[in-house]
Amino acid sequence: MNKSVFVSLVLLMAGGASAGAQSGPSPQEQMACRSDAGKFCAEHIGKPPQMNACLKENKTRLSDSCRKVVESRGG
């Protein structure tokens, strides 16, 4: 499951970035949200749009580091 969460975060961040405005997530950004994604949004693994929405919906519950990543990505 950890690998699935990691892959989902890569897809989530890449899909959530504005076209041409931001590159994909850095390894640090991926690691910042890995635990939170598995804890709050595990049912959305492999579904980047749903994962992105779930992380945004749970923003107040996320770790500080993940919340900063979500906010920096438009969440």
Side-chain angles (χ1 to χ4, degrees), residues 37-63:
K39 183 175 180 181
F40 300 116
C41 305
E43 67 273 15
H44 301 299
I45 291 171
K47 303 173 195 170
Q50 292 88 344
M51 177 66 78
N52 190 24
C54 180
L55 288 173
K56 287 179 183 180
E57 288 172 15
N58 286 286
K59 188 165 64 170
T60 59
R61 299 169 62 196
L62 300 176
S63 64

Side-chain angles (χ1 to χ4, degrees), residues 4-56:
S4 296
V5 171
F6 180 76
V7 170
S8 292
L9 285 172
V10 169
L11 294 173
L12 161 74
M13 298 299 185
S18 300
Q22 295 180 347
S23 62
S26 69
Q28 293 82 7
E29 289 173 323
Q30 294 167 7
M31 292 306 296
C33 288
R34 186 175 188 173
S35 176
D36 290 325
K39 183 175 180 181
F40 300 116
C41 305
E43 67 273 15
H44 301 299
I45 291 171
K47 303 173 195 170
Q50 292 88 344
M51 177 66 78
N52 190 24
C54 180
L55 288 173
K56 287 179 183 180

